[in-house]
Amino acid sequence: MQLNEAFLPLDILPKALQPVTKQAWQRLCEALSQADNVADMTQQPLPSADWPSLSAERRKDLTRVLSVSSFALDTLIRYPDWLATLDSGGELDATPTRDDQIQLLASALENADDEDAMHRAIRRFRRARMLGIVWRDLNRPPGYTMWDTAHAVSQLAEICLEAALGWLEQFYAPRWGLPAPTRDGEPQRLVVLGMGKLGAGELNLSSDIDLIFAFAENGETQGGRKPLEHQEYFTKLGQKLIAALDAMTADGFAFRVDMRLRPLGDGGPLVGSFAMLSSYYQDQGREWERYAMLKARPVAGDLDAGEALLAGLRPFVYRKYLDFGAIESLRELKAMINREVKRKGMQQNIKLGPGGIREVEFVVQAFQLIRGGRDTELQVASLHTALTRLPALGLLPQEVVDDLLPDYAFLRDIEHVLQALEDRQTQTLPGAETDRERVAFAMGHDDWPSLVHQLDEVRERVRHHFDAVIAEPEDEVENDSDEQAPGLEQWRLLWRGELEQDEALERLGEAGFKAPDKTLTRLSRLYHSRQVQSMQRIGFERLDALMPLLLDALADNDTPDTALSRVQPLIEAVLRRTAYLALLRENPHALEHLMRLCAASPWIAEQLARYPILLDELLTPDTLYTPADKDRLADELRQTLNRLPEDDEEAQLEALRVFKHAQMLHVAASDIVGTRHLMKVSDYLTYIAEVILDAVLAMAWKHLAAKHGVPSGCDAREPAFLIVGYGKLGGIELGYGSDLDLVFLHDSDGQGTTDGPRPIDTPVFFTRLGQRVIHLLTAVTPAGSLYEVDMRLRPSGNSGLLVTSLAAFADYQRQHAWTWEHQALVRARVVAGNASLADKFDQLRGDILGRSRDTIALRDDVVNMRQKMRDHLATKSEGDTFDLKHDAGGMVDIEFFCQYAVLALANQTPSLLTYSDNIRILEALAESGHLPEEEAEQLREAYLAYRSATHRAALTGDKAVGRAADYEAHRHVVTALWQRFLAP
C-alpha cells in the first residue's frame, strides 16, 4: 500500500528539520514498498499493513524519532516490521522486563548451531531493543527519565553477555569440557565483572562496555575431548565472548568491549584467577585502579563468586581511614584529562570538557574513595545512589546535590541525543547546523543558542561544585590569608631551611612566635631528622606540602609556640601514616581547629597523637563543638556497628573505641570553647559511657547465647542482666579520665542450665557474661581500651562473687553492708540492662536507703570514714595550695554530706531517693526545707566550682589543686555546714 506525506505531522517540527525528516520518510516509504514486494512474492504478511493503524500520538512520536535519529531510521528501513512488533508488545512505552528479554533472546538462540548464527541472533536482538530504548528516550513516556535509559542499556548488555556466555559454554563443552569444581565442590564458571558505567548500571546509549574476566581456582577441565588448564580454557572462552559482542559482522556489532582495565592492561593475561587478582591489587594496584574498581560489579557468569572476589578486594578499594590521599590522585587524573582536552581542542566535549560529565563523577568518586571505608553506605557502584546518600552523611549540602543530580542528568541527556544520531560513541557537540537543530529539538529547545545558554549555565554550576571539592587547598589559604603575613611560599622556604637565619627569625617574630630561635631550631631538627629524611617520596611530598599550611595556621593562633610544641608530636606520629598528612593538607580549616584545641589542651593533643584517627573529627565543626545527646549517640553507634560484619568482634571492638574517643573529643572541644555548661559536660561524658555499656552488654549476651544458649525463662534477644553504675558514673559526674565503678546483677534463681548446644549451669553463665563485659571494656586494641573498670563496690568487694543475683544483693544490703556501702548506694543507678529488672533494683535501692537509722551512729560512721580518707589523701600541711577533692571544705566533704543527708532523712523525705547526683540532692534538700535555699545555692556553687576546676585540670594536664585563697569563700560555706550537721 502507499503511505503519503500526510502520514507524518511534520508541522510539530522546527522548520529547519522538516526537509530532512521528509527525506527520511521518503526513504522509509521506499523500504516499506520493497519489503511489501518481497512479502507479496513469498506470500507473507505485508510489513506496511500495520502502519496505517498507528495512532495520531504514535505518528508524532515517529516524526520526532525520524527527525533526530539516523540509527532509528536505518533500523526501520532494514526491519520495517519491527515498529508494529515493538508497538504491540508495549516496548515503545516501557522497558520490557528482564525475564521477558531473557526469554526472547533464548528463543532467538535456540536454532543457532554455529557462532555466526549466534552472532546474528545477538546483534538483531540488541538492535531491536536499542530501537525501543532510543524511541523511549526521545519521546519520554510519563515518568521516564535519563536514568531509565541508562538502566535499560545496562540491563541489555548484561542479558547479551550472559546469553552469549551460556551459549559458548554449551557449544564448546564437547571439545573443551567444563571447569573442575572448586575445592568446596562448587561448579566454576567465568566471572565477568562490569566496570565503569556498566558496573554502575548507568550505561549511555552507545557506550563501550569495560570488562574484567576472572575465575575462582586453577585446575583442569573435565568431560571434553581435549582437557585444558583452567587458565587456557577461560582465556579461550573470554576471547570467544568478546567476539560474540564486539566483532563487526554484516549485522554490525552488539557492544564494543574494552578489556584495558584488567591488571597490566593490554600487556596482562586476559583472564586472572582470584588468587592472582588479589595478589596483584594488594602488591601492585595503583590509585587509578582503585578509582576504576569503585564501579566493579558482577554482570555475567558466576555472580556469587564475583561478589566474593569483590569482597576480598574491598580493602584495596576502600581504606579503613579517611583517605584524603585519593583526592591528590583524582586531581592529577583530572589535570591529565584537562591537558588532553586542551591539546586536542576538546572544549566542546560534554564529558571531558570543563563542567562536564566527568567532573560530576569525580566529585562523587572523591567522597567514595576518601570516606567509603568508614561510611559503607558509599560502597555502591551507582553514581545516582552514592550522590543521593552524601547529604545524609553530612558530606555535601542537600542543595548541592539538588544542583548536581539534574545537571548530570541534563548532560547525560545531551550525550544520549548525540549518540542516538548515528549509534556512535561521541560526547562532542555537533558543528553541522542540521545536527545542532536536531539536538536542540530533542532537548526541548526552540533553537541551538537556547540550548547552549542552558548548557553553559549547567557547566558553570558543575565546575563550581567540582572546584569546591577538588581544588588545591593552597588556593583557599592564599585567598583567605592576610596580605601582611608571610605567604605560603615564605613558609615553604623557611620549612626547608632555604631562608637566611636572620630573615627566618624575623618571619617567625612577625607571625607572633615569642621564641623564634627555639621555633626555628625545632623545625630544623624535624626537617633533618632521620624519620623525615627516610620517608618514601610520596610521604615526604605530603609532609612538604603540609608544613607551610601548618605554619600559616600556627601564625593565626594566639599562642603559636605552645601550639607547635603540642602539635609536633602528632606530626611525628603520622609520618609513616601519610594519609593523615594528606587529610590535614587537604583541609586547611581542620588545621585551624587543630591549633585551637591543642593550644588550649595538652590532653587533646595527646589523644590526637595517640589516636590520629580522631583527626577525622576536625573535618566537621558542626559536630566537633556540639556533642550528641544520648539518643543521637545511641543511633550513631548503632549505625556504626551495623556497618560491620556481625561475627567480626575485633572490628566491633575497634569501632567502639574509636567512637568513644571521638565523642569524648567532641565534649572536650565544646568544653574548651565554652559552648557547654559544666553539668552538661558531665552529662555528655556519662551518656557516652551508657550507650557503650548498652552495646557491650548486647555483644556479650549475644556471644554467650550463641555459644551456650540462655538460662530458663530468658530471652535470647534481650539480656536478663543489669549493669549498675556507682561513683561518678552513677552520680552522672564522669570526668575525662574517670574509670567505671560497676556492679553486675541478675534475677535468676541460679537453678538449671542454659538451653544451647553447649549448656552450662546458670550461675556459670552469668559469671561468664560479667567476665565478657569486663573483657570487652578493658581489652586493648590499636585504638586503646574503652574504660578501666572497678568492681570493688560489689557485695563483699574483691572477695565476693563477680555477678550477684538481685535477691542475694538485697540480702547483703539488708544484713551485712557497712555504712560506707550504703553511702555508695546513694550514688548507684542502673546504667544498662533489662528494664523490668531495673525497676526492681530501683525499688530495692529505695527500700534500703529509706530505712530509719540511728542518726548519731550514722554520723559517727560517716565522719570516721571521711577522716580515714583525709588521713590518706588530703594535703598534709596547711599552705597556699588546696586539694579540690580531698582537703577539708572540698568536693568529698559535699559528697559525704549529701550521702549522710539521704541516709538520715530519706525515710521522712522520699524525694531524696529520686536522684543519684549531688546537685539534685542539694536541690531536694532545699525544696524539702532541710537546708535554707541560700545555703543550698552556695553549696551548689562551691561544688560546681570545684568540678569545673578539676575538668579544666584534666584538659590542661594539671593536678586538681588550686590556690587556697581563690577558694576560701567556698571552703568556708562547706566547713560551716559540716560543723553544723556532722561535727560530734
Side-chain angles (χ1 to χ4, degrees):
M1 66 162 291
Q2 294 293 320
L3 296 173
N4 58 36
E5 292 180 6
F7 185 81
L8 293 185
L10 294 176
D11 57 339
I12 70 170
L13 301 176
K15 287 185 178 179
L17 292 183
Q18 290 180 12
V20 294
T21 309
K22 184 176 180 181
Q23 292 172 8
W25 176 240
Q26 288 170 350
R27 289 181 58 199
L28 185 52
C29 287
E30 290 171 5
L32 276 168
S33 178
Q34 292 174 9
D36 282 353
N37 290 337
V38 173
D40 189 42
M41 288 188 297
T42 57
Q43 297 184 337
Q44 298 293 322
L46 300 182
S48 66
D50 294 316
W51 282 65
S53 62
L54 288 175
S55 67
E57 194 59 40
R58 194 64 86 205
R59 295 182 191 191
K60 287 182 181 180
D61 294 346
L62 176 62
T63 305
R64 277 190 285 268
V65 170
L66 293 179
S67 70
V68 174
S69 176
S70 298
F71 162 75
L73 172 62
D74 292 342
T75 300
L76 288 172
I77 287 173
R78 193 165 184 175
Y79 304 104
D81 56 327
W82 281 6
L83 182 62
T85 303
L86 295 181
D87 190 19
S88 63
E91 197 166 342
L92 299 181
D93 295 316
T95 306
T97 67
R98 190 184 194 96
D99 287 344
D100 285 348
Q101 292 186 68
I102 290 171
Q103 184 57 49
L104 197 60
L105 182 52
S107 298
L109 288 170
E110 277 181 2
N111 299 320
D113 52 8
D114 59 24
E115 285 183 81
D116 288 342
M118 181 264 287
H119 287 191
R120 187 161 50 252
I122 285 180
R123 279 150 181 75
R124 290 185 179 180
F125 171 80
R126 179 261 181 191
R127 189 165 191 137
R129 304 290 78 72
M130 286 301 301
L131 176 60
I133 291 170
V134 169
W135 184 288
R136 294 192 300 274
D137 191 66
L138 292 176
N139 286 303
R140 295 297 168 96
Y144 196 89
T145 69
M146 180 281 294
W147 301 104
D148 296 300
T149 295
H151 174 71
V153 181
S154 302
Q155 182 173 263
L156 175 59
E158 293 172 39
I159 291 168
C160 290
L161 278 164
E162 180 59 41
L165 177 60
W167 188 93
L168 288 165
E169 286 170 331
Q170 290 184 358
F171 185 77
Y172 283 103
R175 188 188 309 177
W176 299 339
L178 293 172
T182 65
R183 284 186 290 272
D184 296 334
E186 295 295 322
Q188 284 201 68
R189 293 185 71 201
L190 183 69
V191 171
V192 182
L193 298 181
M195 309 293 285
K197 287 188 172 64
L198 173 59
E202 296 162 354
L203 274 178
N204 54 47
L205 270 181
S206 185
S207 177
D208 293 354
I209 56 174
D210 296 297
L211 304 177
I212 290 178
F213 295 154
F215 64 95
E217 294 177 9
N218 286 311
E220 192 174 76
T221 60
Q222 301 172 347
R225 295 192 298 273
K226 182 184 177 185
L228 299 174
E229 291 292 328
H230 283 180
Q231 181 72 46
E232 183 181 1
Y233 169 80
F234 286 117
T235 299
K236 286 177 176 287
L237 191 64
Q239 291 167 338
K240 294 290 185 182
L241 180 59
I242 293 169
L245 273 66
D246 184 89
M248 181 62 74
T249 72
D251 295 286
F253 64 91
F255 290 92
R256 291 175 296 271
V257 176
D258 191 335
M259 299 296 299
R260 289 176 296 175
L261 293 181
R262 70 185 188 271
L264 303 177
D266 286 338
L270 184 68
V271 186
S273 68
F274 285 11
M276 184 277 276
L277 290 171
S278 297
S279 175
Y280 170 83
Y281 286 115
Q282 180 177 332
D283 299 336
Q284 302 177 52
R286 290 159 290 181
E287 281 296 315
W288 72 262
E289 289 176 303
R290 287 183 60 206
Y291 173 77
M293 291 300 290
L294 287 172
K295 300 292 188 186
R297 178 174 64 92
V299 293
D302 193 333
L303 302 183
D304 291 340
E307 293 290 359
L309 170 63
L310 292 180
L313 297 179
R314 202 161 287 136
F316 164 70
V317 184
Y318 299 104
R319 306 294 196 240
K320 286 185 178 180
Y321 48 80
L322 294 192
D323 184 16
F324 278 90
I327 208 167
E328 297 172 14
S329 302
L330 288 175
R331 198 178 286 132
E332 291 167 6
L333 186 56
K334 180 57 181 170
M336 183 180 72
I337 292 171
N338 288 346
R339 288 193 296 271
E340 189 75 358
V341 167
K342 188 173 182 181
R343 185 175 67 84
K344 294 184 176 180
M346 298 167 62
Q347 280 76 11
Q348 295 301 302
N349 187 301
I350 60 166
K351 177 179 179 181
L352 302 179
I357 291 168
R358 183 55 58 84
E359 291 193 355
V360 180
E361 294 168 353
F362 270 37
V363 167
V364 177
Q365 287 156 350
F367 285 114
Q368 287 182 289
L369 286 172
I370 293 167
R371 294 181 171 272
R374 187 76 57 78
D375 298 323
T376 53
E377 299 94 325
L378 296 178
Q379 293 183 13
V380 291
S382 164
L383 176 138
H384 182 274
T385 302
L387 183 55
T388 55
R389 290 178 179 178
L390 292 175
L393 295 168
L395 302 179
L396 269 187
Q398 185 63 53
E399 54 268 25
V400 174
V401 173
D402 290 343
D403 278 348
L404 288 177
L405 267 176
D407 286 349
Y408 181 75
F410 175 81
L411 292 168
R412 290 288 305 273
D413 273 332
I414 295 180
E415 178 184 43
H416 287 166
V417 174
L418 294 174
Q419 296 177 356
L421 297 179
E422 306 284 351
D423 190 22
R424 188 167 58 86
Q425 187 179 24
T426 181
Q427 289 89 16
T428 301
L429 296 174
E433 192 62 34
T434 301
D435 285 344
R436 287 183 167 187
E437 291 296 334
R438 295 164 88 187
V439 173
F441 172 68
M443 291 298 295
H445 282 265
D446 294 333
D447 52 35
W448 179 251
S450 171
L451 172 62
V452 169
H453 178 71
Q454 183 182 0
L455 177 59
D456 288 343
E457 290 181 340
V458 165
R459 293 176 76 167
E460 186 176 342
R461 272 196 304 272
V462 169
R463 171 45 65 101
H464 171 73
H465 294 313
F466 172 80
D467 284 343
V469 174
I470 306 290
E472 295 275 358
E474 287 82 0
D475 298 341
E476 184 179 345
V477 172
E478 293 286 13
N479 291 336
D480 293 345
S481 63
D482 184 349
E483 290 182 6
Q484 303 302 315
L488 290 180
E489 186 56 35
Q490 289 290 307
W491 287 127
R492 187 173 289 107
L493 294 173
L494 188 148
W495 155 245
R496 293 174 178 172
E498 295 174 5
L499 289 181
E500 293 294 332
Q501 184 171 358
D502 290 346
E503 187 179 359
L505 293 173
E506 183 182 350
R507 292 277 181 252
L508 290 168
E510 290 171 354
F513 286 88
K514 304 299 183 192
D517 51 341
K518 291 183 179 178
T519 299
L520 189 60
T521 300
R522 179 187 290 275
L523 292 171
S524 177
R525 285 177 178 168
L526 175 61
Y527 184 86
H528 292 100
S529 68
R530 193 174 189 180
Q531 279 180 290
V532 170
Q533 294 302 313
S534 63
M535 293 177 75
Q536 294 182 352
R537 181 186 59 82
I538 190 169
F540 182 80
E541 287 175 354
R542 288 177 177 178
L543 176 66
D544 198 49
L546 168 65
M547 289 305 293
L549 293 166
L550 185 142
L551 291 168
D552 192 71
L554 284 168
D556 288 337
N557 193 270
D558 293 336
T559 55
D561 304 77
T562 300
L564 176 59
S565 67
R566 292 177 180 172
V567 168
Q568 185 176 335
L570 165 63
I571 299 300
E572 292 172 346
V574 298
L575 288 177
R576 292 288 180 270
R577 302 160 74 181
T578 60
Y580 293 116
L581 298 176
L583 181 154
L584 292 171
R585 185 240 170 173
E586 295 292 344
N587 297 276
H589 293 298
L591 270 177
E592 295 174 18
H593 297 300
L594 178 66
M595 300 308 149
R596 180 186 195 182
L597 296 176
C598 289
S601 170
W603 180 83
I604 288 181
E606 289 166 10
Q607 288 292 103
L608 290 169
R610 190 179 303 167
Y611 312 117
I613 196 169
L614 297 180
L615 290 171
D616 301 352
E617 305 305 315
L618 304 181
L619 303 178
T620 48
D622 290 348
T623 55
L624 176 61
Y625 299 108
T626 311
D629 59 26
K630 187 173 180 181
D631 287 343
R632 203 173 96 210
L633 280 170
D635 186 57
E636 286 184 20
L637 182 55
R638 182 166 49 251
Q639 290 184 40
T640 298
L641 295 177
N642 284 345
R643 294 185 183 118
L644 302 172
E646 285 189 13
D647 56 351
D648 192 345
E649 184 179 281
E650 184 178 345
Q652 292 174 344
L653 282 178
E654 186 74 358
L656 279 170
R657 281 147 180 72
V658 171
F659 174 84
K660 182 234 182 178
H661 295 318
Q663 299 304 327
M664 287 189 70
L665 177 63
H666 294 181
V667 177
S670 70
D671 195 358
I672 282 171
V673 300
T675 59
R676 287 292 174 271
H677 185 273
L678 166 69
M679 294 276 289
K680 287 295 183 182
V681 169
S682 286
D683 285 354
Y684 285 122
L685 293 173
T686 304
Y687 296 157
I688 294 166
E690 289 175 0
V691 298
I692 286 174
L693 285 168
D694 267 331
V696 163
L697 176 57
M699 287 170 62
W701 182 267
K702 188 173 183 179
H703 175 84
L704 267 291
K707 196 172 183 180
H708 302 294
V710 296
S712 175
C714 293
D715 186 338
R717 293 167 297 181
E718 183 182 2
F721 196 76
L722 273 192
I723 300 179
V724 179
Y726 276 68
K728 285 186 170 58
L729 174 61
I732 319 176
E733 294 173 359
L734 277 185
Y736 293 105
S738 299
D739 58 9
L740 303 184
D741 293 300
L742 304 178
V743 168
F744 297 151
L745 301 175
H746 65 85
D747 198 24
S748 167
D749 60 8
Q751 303 299 310
T753 62
T754 59
D755 59 3
R758 296 166 57 187
I760 53 177
D761 291 341
T762 295
V764 175
F765 174 87
F766 284 112
T767 298
R768 290 188 182 175
L769 181 63
Q771 291 169 335
R772 187 80 188 162
V773 169
I774 293 172
H775 165 72
L776 294 176
L777 289 170
T778 59
V780 178
T781 74
S785 61
L786 283 170
Y787 291 97
E788 294 296 321
V789 174
D790 191 336
M791 300 293 298
R792 289 176 295 178
L793 291 177
R794 68 185 188 270
S796 301
N798 283 340
S799 62
L801 296 173
L802 182 67
V803 183
T804 310
S805 71
L806 193 61
F809 180 81
D811 180 69
Y812 179 86
Q813 291 290 340
R814 291 188 176 108
Q815 305 297 330
H816 308 291
W818 298 83
T819 298
W820 68 263
E821 290 178 289
H822 286 168
Q823 286 180 248
L825 191 62
V826 171
R827 307 257 280 173
R829 65 187 179 87
V830 173
V831 292
N834 182 278
S836 60
L837 187 51
D839 291 339
K840 293 182 181 179
F841 172 83
D842 290 340
Q843 181 65 47
L844 171 62
R845 174 180 175 273
D847 291 346
I848 299 297
L849 298 181
R851 289 191 328 198
S852 178
R853 288 177 170 80
D854 179 339
T855 54
I856 302 299
L858 173 64
R859 183 196 65 190
D860 291 344
D861 286 346
V862 171
V863 169
N864 288 337
M865 177 56 68
R866 179 69 189 100
Q867 190 58 49
K868 286 181 182 179
M869 291 182 66
R870 284 182 185 167
D871 292 344
H872 282 87
L873 301 170
T875 304
K876 301 305 179 187
S877 59
E878 291 289 331
D880 295 335
T881 60
F882 168 53
D883 186 311
L884 298 166
K885 292 178 66 176
H886 299 294
D887 281 355
M891 284 175 65
V892 177
D893 279 2
I894 299 176
E895 291 170 358
F896 268 56
F897 166 73
C898 289
Q899 292 161 13
Y900 166 78
V902 170
L903 294 174
L905 302 171
N907 65 317
Q908 312 165 34
T909 312
S911 62
L912 290 172
L913 301 172
T914 305
Y915 299 110
S916 60
D917 62 287
N918 293 309
I919 293 296
R920 285 185 289 192
I921 289 173
L922 289 172
E923 290 172 353
L925 286 170
E927 290 169 1
S928 60
H930 293 298
L931 266 185
E933 180 61 48
E934 182 181 358
E935 191 171 18
E937 181 59 30
Q938 290 173 337
L939 281 172
R940 285 198 296 271
E941 288 178 1
Y943 193 64
L944 290 175
Y946 296 153
R947 281 181 54 203
S948 179
T950 57
H951 273 306
R952 290 284 167 172
L955 286 176
T956 57
D958 298 323
K959 293 182 179 179
V961 174
R963 290 177 63 247
D966 294 342
Y967 295 93
E968 186 174 347
H970 291 316
R971 294 182 75 183
H972 176 75
V973 170
V974 176
T975 304
L977 176 124
W978 185 273
Q979 290 295 325
R980 193 162 83 251
F981 280 88
L982 289 162

